[in-house]
Amino acid sequence: MLFYFSFLILLSSCQEDILETVPYGESTSAEFWRNGSDAIAASTAMYEPLRTEDLYGHNENVFDNCSDDIFRAGDHGYESAMENFTFDDDNAGFRFGWSPKYEIIGRANSVLINVPDIEDIDDATRDRVLGEAHFLRGFAYWRLHVLYGEVPLILESNVVEGNFNVPKSTVEEIRAQIESDFIAAANLLPVNYPAEDLGRVTKGSANGFLAKLYLYKEEFEKTIEAGEKVLNGPYPLAENFRDNFTVATENNPEMLFSVQGEDNWGDVPKSYDAPRSWGGWDFHNPVVNVVDEFEENDVRLPNSILQPGDIVDRGEMGPFEFTADLTQTGYSLTKYVSYLPDGNIDRDQNVPILRSADVYLMVAEAKIRLNGAGSGDFEINEVRNRAGLDPISNGGMPELIHERRCELVGENQRHQDLMRWDKAGIVDIVQIYGEDRGPFDPSRTFVRPKHYYFPIPQREIDLSNGVLIQNENYK
Amino acid sequence: MLDFKENEKIICLITIISCNRASLTPTKIEMKKTIIYRSIINMSDSKNCFSPKRSRPKMLIIAIFLSMASFAHSNKSEPTPTINTESRDVGFLIAPTVLGQERTITGTIVDEMGVPLSGASVQIKGTATGVAADFDGNFSITVPNEDTILIVSYIGYTTMEVEVGNQSNLNIQLQPNASQLDEVLVVGYGTTVKKDVTGAISSVKGEEFRNLPVASVDKVLQGRLAGVQVVNNGGAPGSSASIRIRGTGTVNDSDPLYVIDGVPTESIAGINQNNIESIEVLKDASASAIYGTRAANGVIIVTTRKGRRGGKTQMNLDFYTGFSNVIKTVDVLNAPELGEIKRERYTNDGIPVDDIWSDPSYLTQRTNWQDELFKTGVTQNVDLSITGASEKSSFFFGLGYYDEQGIIKKAEANRVNLQINSDHSLNNWLKISQNLSLSSRSNNAFNTTSAQTGLIWSAIRFNPGLPVRNADGSYSSSQVSSEFGDINNPIFTVVSNDSDTRRTRLLSNVQAEISFTQDFKFRANFGVDAEITDQKNYEPQILDQIRQSSSSNRFRNYEQFHSFLMEYFLSYNKIFGDHSIGAVAGYTEQSFDSQGFNARTFNVEDIESQKLLTNGDQDEATEFRSNDGLRSVFGRLNYSYMDRYLLTATLRSDESSRFADGNRRGTFPAFSLGWRVSQESFFNVPSISNLKVTGGWGQLGNQNIARLQYLARLSSGRRYSFGLDGSNRVEGVSRVSIANPDVTWETVVMSNFGLEVGFLENKLSTSFNYYIKNTEDMLLQPPAIGSQGSITSPFRNVGEVENKGLEIELNWQDTKGDFSYGIGANAAFVKNKVIKLVDGNFLASDFYGRPNQELSRTFEGEPIATFYGWKANGLFQTQADIDAHATQEGAVPGDVRFIDIDNNGVINDEDRTIIGNPHPDMTYGLNLNATYKGFDFTAFFLGAAGVEIFNADRMQGLDASYPFNLYSEILDRWTGPGTSNTIPRVSTLRTNLNHRTSDLFIESGDYFRLKNLTLGYSLPTDYIEKINLSRLRLYVTGQNLFTITGYSGLDPELGLTDGNLQQNVDFAQFPQPRTFLLGINLSF
């Protein structure tokens, strides 16, 4: 007993000072930001939220259900309210992506604060990492501003001061920030990458987004200037339209920016698109109206949408015929769904965000709106040519609108396109959405200007203690 | 008795072992005292394993005390030999007469069994002169003359007055005191008797909850003690409960501290309730402040059974077995009814009806999924215990096995438990005792709290037109149609489940008590608490259910926790005439270390022999670790004057590793006063046998918050893959927290006022306690606003919570001939209120399931976790109703009318308000017991009143926009003016959001439950002695026999679903079953 007693004293006496704790598995700011590999780790972390379910894993794609291309087929009640413009301010769909976008911004701000002071790093890596940070911050604000309009602007100084509860900035201020970030990114980023780094953003990604920003701002000359930097750079259209949507070829030069898929990491946009009995969840069904938009022999149609009678190769499981009862509308979005050799959905597939084809059409649109019909024929025909279609001549906005719809269906563009064209008086979105085209494309009431933006998540308003004010039209 | 040289050896042994490079050599063992002291000094200077900061005082203390003990005893003369007699019939024995004046009397004090009462007090009446009996119960006292009267007393025994007369040797036998007032209570670092208590302490004896069919001790406390609320988190086998003492004091960890046989720990899991002697709950600051930093949520002191000195060796064998069933299921639609509702919802919306709802094969009722899921559970338990003692040692040995097969297949738990306790008096100044509890428990539980995949949730909603299995033997699947929702077949979920969690815990301590004198003692306590958790899980590849697993995977998680305790304290107890003093002072430190790793591999074959991590494609492995430490000094003083005026004062000072250097120390004072009015000479109310008033105040701390809040941390794991084929996986690192270097303790300030009244010679005893408990400096994480991304905000000491309450306990115990009976009743009323939050803002809780709805918020001025949403006011019956109401966008007749709280003419988010309170106004328990000849009877009832439940499962179960099965209640839906005013029309669209969070789904959660009923019969002794038994009792027990409640869900006891921030929300949790048992107790 005495020995036991003594043994216990010994045991408890010879430990380290019990009040000193160790942050196992984590590092503190003081210990990080030492060298180039820390900078790369921090820049990689900026991409990570993109693939989560709250962003391009699913929820970011839900915003295009509002368009006239897609029917919300899933059983998420809030998505139905979003699609039908019957949502309230606390709709979960507006909440999901809000904070992940600010997380990307926060990670980018950390890089922009700390990487310039790292000494043990080569200039090329430093420039690249800073360029990625500017791009991703600009991109996150891009998405925030197209969805919500006025949002809080969180920059490096907010991080340093720890002050995140700030009032909204105006759309102009947000756009100015996006512009300066994309310009900085275009200056700092490399033109392209060695094979192992494909998927990181390039000079082309930044210029492509600059073109998009200017187009939304209706600064057409600048759109053309920025867009042509892409079109004249090493970012040609892939030879086959489908190359953009197969795992083996999706990181080709045309793909200016896409979210990199990874099996088992939880990103599931492919599952949300595929039919249920084929292993998917069947959430985004194309409607007949968009199917009818395609011209005969457009190779983009079978590569974007499954129609009854289409045959899908599911490897060892064999060829499957698509039938109308597999989905609610009788069509299925197949653009970025492909199958593994064992027949299951290949979750490695990426989600495209910006392609050179989009930049061609943006430049075309800018030229048409600047110089009139016919001035964008060259760019439109480049895209049509790849789709196996005859060239057009003297193309105006109707041709351009048709081309964008067919080229980019399912790529989260249509609703935003319709809204900016509506603002410019080119289309009447109230009429387009108000038309009753059957049960999956019913008449929906779009209210101008209210529905140009979604409400800021009500919870954020509640939490801000009066600092964050709801979008004027939702008060 | 050891001689001085032997004492020196002990000291040297300890010092040498402890300090292997101390400047002592074996040749110096036989040294003089001066050398020892020099050695102690040398030792503490030596640069060895002791960090000078810490270990020096510690070793110094123990060495000095050991030396003092040896001094004290080496200088004392041997006690005079005494005459012992075998007489048990008389209190004292007349010895040979010795005439004279002042003389020395010797004697022995024993208990009713003849066992010496070490430490019993002998005092000369009317003077301050007194002595205490030594270890063998012997005493020696000089008395002035023959007329001297000695007052002999001992805790728990009736005080006796003995006339000295001409005796010189007294053999005094004390009888145990049956009065509750002399009941011994275990408090922190000592014991006390009930009459001297000035704080709020509730106590329950182990016999009251022996052989109840639950796997954990926390659950048996439910309803037994006023102010101790046991929040059952479902009835799954092996599930634990949350205990709230005097309300929810903080939104952070509000679990109490457990002290098991002197070892402070956060968990009572693994302790077998049948091995428990008593449980004391220290409720107010005065009682619990001695545990300072961890006492804010109350302290539960658990004492396991010990051998009884002088008792004979006895073996007990207890066995019971029984079965359990689900009490209630939810009424859901059958297949034809479901078809009708589904068709109607499309028709209402003007959308073509999906073909599946006209397909006769799915309109045929095939399966009641809840009936398929629930089965009869089986519980069994066997306990073997042996107790025994010699004059110098005693022991308790317990070996138990508990096995519970739940009311859902594979929901099961079992526990093997070994308890070994012993104590030994090595000589008249050194006593050593040890406790050891070793347990291994295993359980498997299903997710029953998710509104996406929860098992019971799924069974309520899975399509009733599908069979359990298809004709080809495969399990039916909702892949058939998107109209059936994304639910997996619940029976498939059960069958494919392959997981197990086993926890092995060792809780042990050894204590040494050194008596310098009878009054002055030193105690050292060394303890270890260690647990290993091994969790295994296998998931097959699932392709033919809607929620798929693209590849099979094997997961294993292995964790180990250990904590070491070391404490030393001195105690002094002395009576000087009318003054009685008790003091305790000590030092304690405890370290905690938790670490583990886990790994997952994919594509593991579904063959038992192949389910190892090595047989798959390894994908991820994680390792984690954390450590904590706590170092404290404490002291307590008890003083009483004339047994009427009582004072307790306590102080504890802690240093904790949870905070940054500089903010680590917290000091927690407390005091309380008592007045035993019934002892006063002026008090003369015959029917009132006891009247005591008490009052106290004190501060307590709470440190249980996330670690390392004072650092800005970065974390890895933000991976992303690049490359042509996406194979270049790159590790990402990002910041996860903002630092707050100022973070420190939460402080609870509590005042307590008590009144204790005993009537009719204490046959009826009552107690009333009123308290005000304020948590100041509550640690709050400012709500993570979206614009800071997912970085967590640091905790700040800004919040305040108030709990005010009243606790009442009544006990009646009486005997009439062979019939004896008792009634125990307790009730607690508590009002919880949040006084202050960060910047006046609210605290959000988790969102509910598929609709992603907010259910609870915590606001200033309101209780924690109030329900928050809209108020409904019936249904719109006509368009005219809608036109007459504030603008409610999208509403049509048959939709819910919401109240325009802010009167702005529009129904919007601003109309949300507080719609319910999940905290009961009152919780209560009622215990009836009776014995007649060989029969015994116990009925135990408990309940809650003034409590509300948010029935979220019903909310979704009435929402026809989901592709799930629905509650039968929907048959009473609105179908035209006047058809219903509560259940809205069915629709697939959510234009009016009829099923938004509103008071339509709030129900009263009041209940009154017969928790336990036991009827036993013990065979007559003369009969069973023939078969060499001393006891044979047979009994039957029923658990949860009936519940009176208006609540419509499965079980009104719902528990916590997002820490303290969301409570009493029905997610279709695992309900408590009804259990019937048959048992036998045998004693040899």
Side-chain angles (χ1 to χ4, degrees), chain A residues 279-295:
Chain A
W281 299 333
D282 187 34
F283 265 62
H284 306 276
N285 288 176
V287 294
V288 66
N289 180 267
V290 70
V291 176
D292 292 346
E293 181 81 25
F294 285 85
E295 297 162 53

mmCIF file of all heavy atoms in Angstrom, chain A residues 279-295:
data_model
loop_
_atom_site.group_PDB
_atom_site.id
_atom_site.type_symbol
_atom_site.label_atom_id
_atom_site.label_comp_id
_atom_site.label_asym_id
_atom_site.label_seq_id
_atom_site.Cartn_x
_atom_site.Cartn_y
_atom_site.Cartn_z
ATOM 1 N N GLY A 279 -29.110 7.128 -59.434
ATOM 2 C CA GLY A 279 -28.211 7.461 -58.338
ATOM 3 C C GLY A 279 -28.184 8.935 -57.991
ATOM 4 O O GLY A 279 -27.448 9.353 -57.106
ATOM 5 N N GLY A 280 -28.996 9.741 -58.688
ATOM 6 C CA GLY A 280 -28.984 11.175 -58.395
ATOM 7 C C GLY A 280 -30.171 11.578 -57.550
ATOM 8 O O GLY A 280 -30.883 10.724 -57.011
ATOM 9 N N TRP A 281 -30.357 12.880 -57.409
ATOM 10 C CA TRP A 281 -31.448 13.396 -56.593
ATOM 11 C C TRP A 281 -32.443 14.213 -57.410
ATOM 12 O O TRP A 281 -33.440 14.663 -56.889
ATOM 13 C CB TRP A 281 -30.905 14.235 -55.431
ATOM 14 C CG TRP A 281 -30.021 13.444 -54.516
ATOM 15 C CD1 TRP A 281 -30.069 12.097 -54.310
ATOM 16 C CD2 TRP A 281 -28.953 13.939 -53.704
ATOM 17 N NE1 TRP A 281 -29.103 11.728 -53.410
ATOM 18 C CE2 TRP A 281 -28.410 12.831 -53.020
ATOM 19 C CE3 TRP A 281 -28.410 15.208 -53.488
ATOM 20 C CZ2 TRP A 281 -27.333 12.958 -52.140
ATOM 21 C CZ3 TRP A 281 -27.346 15.330 -52.602
ATOM 22 C CH2 TRP A 281 -26.821 14.214 -51.938
ATOM 23 N N ASP A 282 -32.090 14.476 -58.689
ATOM 24 C CA ASP A 282 -33.062 15.036 -59.622
ATOM 25 C C ASP A 282 -33.636 16.377 -59.158
ATOM 26 O O ASP A 282 -34.823 16.491 -58.865
ATOM 27 C CB ASP A 282 -34.200 14.006 -59.821
ATOM 28 C CG ASP A 282 -35.174 14.442 -60.900
ATOM 29 O OD1 ASP A 282 -34.725 15.079 -61.872
ATOM 30 O OD2 ASP A 282 -36.374 14.157 -60.755
ATOM 31 N N PHE A 283 -32.777 17.380 -59.057
ATOM 32 C CA PHE A 283 -33.226 18.672 -58.533
ATOM 33 C C PHE A 283 -33.422 19.765 -59.580
ATOM 34 O O PHE A 283 -34.106 20.739 -59.319
ATOM 35 C CB PHE A 283 -32.248 19.185 -57.470
ATOM 36 C CG PHE A 283 -32.665 18.839 -56.076
ATOM 37 C CD1 PHE A 283 -32.768 17.518 -55.682
ATOM 38 C CD2 PHE A 283 -32.978 19.827 -55.168
ATOM 39 C CE1 PHE A 283 -33.160 17.184 -54.401
ATOM 40 C CE2 PHE A 283 -33.374 19.515 -53.879
ATOM 41 C CZ PHE A 283 -33.460 18.187 -53.491
ATOM 42 N N HIS A 284 -32.732 19.665 -60.710
ATOM 43 C CA HIS A 284 -32.816 20.749 -61.692
ATOM 44 C C HIS A 284 -33.248 20.171 -63.029
ATOM 45 O O HIS A 284 -32.437 19.619 -63.742
ATOM 46 C CB HIS A 284 -31.461 21.451 -61.854
ATOM 47 C CG HIS A 284 -30.886 21.939 -60.564
ATOM 48 N ND1 HIS A 284 -31.221 23.137 -60.005
ATOM 49 C CD2 HIS A 284 -29.998 21.370 -59.724
ATOM 50 C CE1 HIS A 284 -30.564 23.298 -58.857
ATOM 51 N NE2 HIS A 284 -29.817 22.235 -58.659
ATOM 52 N N ASN A 285 -34.514 20.269 -63.365
ATOM 53 C CA ASN A 285 -35.009 19.720 -64.632
ATOM 54 C C ASN A 285 -35.144 20.822 -65.665
ATOM 55 O O ASN A 285 -35.834 21.824 -65.415
ATOM 56 C CB ASN A 285 -36.402 19.095 -64.461
ATOM 57 C CG ASN A 285 -36.408 17.779 -63.689
ATOM 58 O OD1 ASN A 285 -37.461 17.240 -63.438
ATOM 59 N ND2 ASN A 285 -35.231 17.271 -63.325
ATOM 60 N N PRO A 286 -34.549 20.637 -66.866
ATOM 61 C CA PRO A 286 -34.803 21.604 -67.942
ATOM 62 C C PRO A 286 -36.286 21.512 -68.333
ATOM 63 O O PRO A 286 -36.906 20.445 -68.207
ATOM 64 C CB PRO A 286 -33.925 21.120 -69.090
ATOM 65 C CG PRO A 286 -32.999 20.125 -68.488
ATOM 66 C CD PRO A 286 -33.664 19.569 -67.278
ATOM 67 N N VAL A 287 -36.837 22.629 -68.777
ATOM 68 C CA VAL A 287 -38.236 22.609 -69.220
ATOM 69 C C VAL A 287 -38.272 22.566 -70.745
ATOM 70 O O VAL A 287 -37.283 22.867 -71.421
ATOM 71 C CB VAL A 287 -39.023 23.836 -68.688
ATOM 72 C CG1 VAL A 287 -39.133 23.771 -67.176
ATOM 73 C CG2 VAL A 287 -38.380 25.138 -69.134
ATOM 74 N N VAL A 288 -39.427 22.216 -71.289
ATOM 75 C CA VAL A 288 -39.543 22.007 -72.746
ATOM 76 C C VAL A 288 -39.212 23.276 -73.522
ATOM 77 O O VAL A 288 -38.654 23.238 -74.621
ATOM 78 C CB VAL A 288 -40.945 21.448 -73.090
ATOM 79 C CG1 VAL A 288 -42.032 22.482 -72.783
ATOM 80 C CG2 VAL A 288 -41.025 20.998 -74.537
ATOM 81 N N ASN A 289 -39.487 24.430 -72.906
ATOM 82 C CA ASN A 289 -39.244 25.709 -73.571
ATOM 83 C C ASN A 289 -37.779 25.887 -73.979
ATOM 84 O O ASN A 289 -37.465 26.378 -75.064
ATOM 85 C CB ASN A 289 -39.715 26.831 -72.638
ATOM 86 C CG ASN A 289 -39.503 28.206 -73.231
ATOM 87 O OD1 ASN A 289 -38.476 28.826 -72.998
ATOM 88 N ND2 ASN A 289 -40.475 28.674 -74.005
ATOM 89 N N VAL A 290 -36.867 25.463 -73.104
ATOM 90 C CA VAL A 290 -35.447 25.629 -73.452
ATOM 91 C C VAL A 290 -35.011 24.549 -74.438
ATOM 92 O O VAL A 290 -34.155 24.778 -75.296
ATOM 93 C CB VAL A 290 -34.542 25.658 -72.194
ATOM 94 C CG1 VAL A 290 -34.457 24.302 -71.516
ATOM 95 C CG2 VAL A 290 -33.144 26.165 -72.555
ATOM 96 N N VAL A 291 -35.639 23.368 -74.363
ATOM 97 C CA VAL A 291 -35.305 22.310 -75.315
ATOM 98 C C VAL A 291 -35.669 22.775 -76.728
ATOM 99 O O VAL A 291 -34.906 22.601 -77.687
ATOM 100 C CB VAL A 291 -36.055 21.004 -74.952
ATOM 101 C CG1 VAL A 291 -35.792 19.920 -75.991
ATOM 102 C CG2 VAL A 291 -35.650 20.535 -73.554
ATOM 103 N N ASP A 292 -36.842 23.432 -76.814
ATOM 104 C CA ASP A 292 -37.309 23.915 -78.119
ATOM 105 C C ASP A 292 -36.445 25.046 -78.667
ATOM 106 O O ASP A 292 -36.509 25.364 -79.856
ATOM 107 C CB ASP A 292 -38.764 24.393 -78.005
ATOM 108 C CG ASP A 292 -39.727 23.230 -77.741
ATOM 109 O OD1 ASP A 292 -39.293 22.059 -77.929
ATOM 110 O OD2 ASP A 292 -40.877 23.485 -77.340
ATOM 111 N N GLU A 293 -35.676 25.701 -77.799
ATOM 112 C CA GLU A 293 -34.836 26.815 -78.230
ATOM 113 C C GLU A 293 -33.733 26.344 -79.192
ATOM 114 O O GLU A 293 -33.281 27.092 -80.049
ATOM 115 C CB GLU A 293 -34.198 27.476 -76.999
ATOM 116 C CG GLU A 293 -33.301 28.674 -77.281
ATOM 117 C CD GLU A 293 -34.078 29.982 -77.502
ATOM 118 O OE1 GLU A 293 -35.208 30.094 -76.986
ATOM 119 O OE2 GLU A 293 -33.544 30.862 -78.206
ATOM 120 N N PHE A 294 -33.324 25.082 -79.035
ATOM 121 C CA PHE A 294 -32.177 24.598 -79.813
ATOM 122 C C PHE A 294 -32.540 24.401 -81.276
ATOM 123 O O PHE A 294 -33.633 23.947 -81.606
ATOM 124 C CB PHE A 294 -31.657 23.283 -79.230
ATOM 125 C CG PHE A 294 -30.876 23.461 -77.957
ATOM 126 C CD1 PHE A 294 -31.520 23.530 -76.729
ATOM 127 C CD2 PHE A 294 -29.485 23.585 -77.996
ATOM 128 C CE1 PHE A 294 -30.806 23.702 -75.563
ATOM 129 C CE2 PHE A 294 -28.763 23.762 -76.829
ATOM 130 C CZ PHE A 294 -29.416 23.825 -75.608
ATOM 131 N N GLU A 295 -31.595 24.745 -82.149
ATOM 132 C CA GLU A 295 -31.776 24.472 -83.579
ATOM 133 C C GLU A 295 -31.513 22.990 -83.810
ATOM 134 O O GLU A 295 -30.865 22.327 -83.016
ATOM 135 C CB GLU A 295 -30.777 25.301 -84.389
ATOM 136 C CG GLU A 295 -30.986 26.795 -84.247
ATOM 137 C CD GLU A 295 -29.754 27.588 -84.683
ATOM 138 O OE1 GLU A 295 -29.287 27.363 -85.821
ATOM 139 O OE2 GLU A 295 -29.277 28.400 -83.876
#
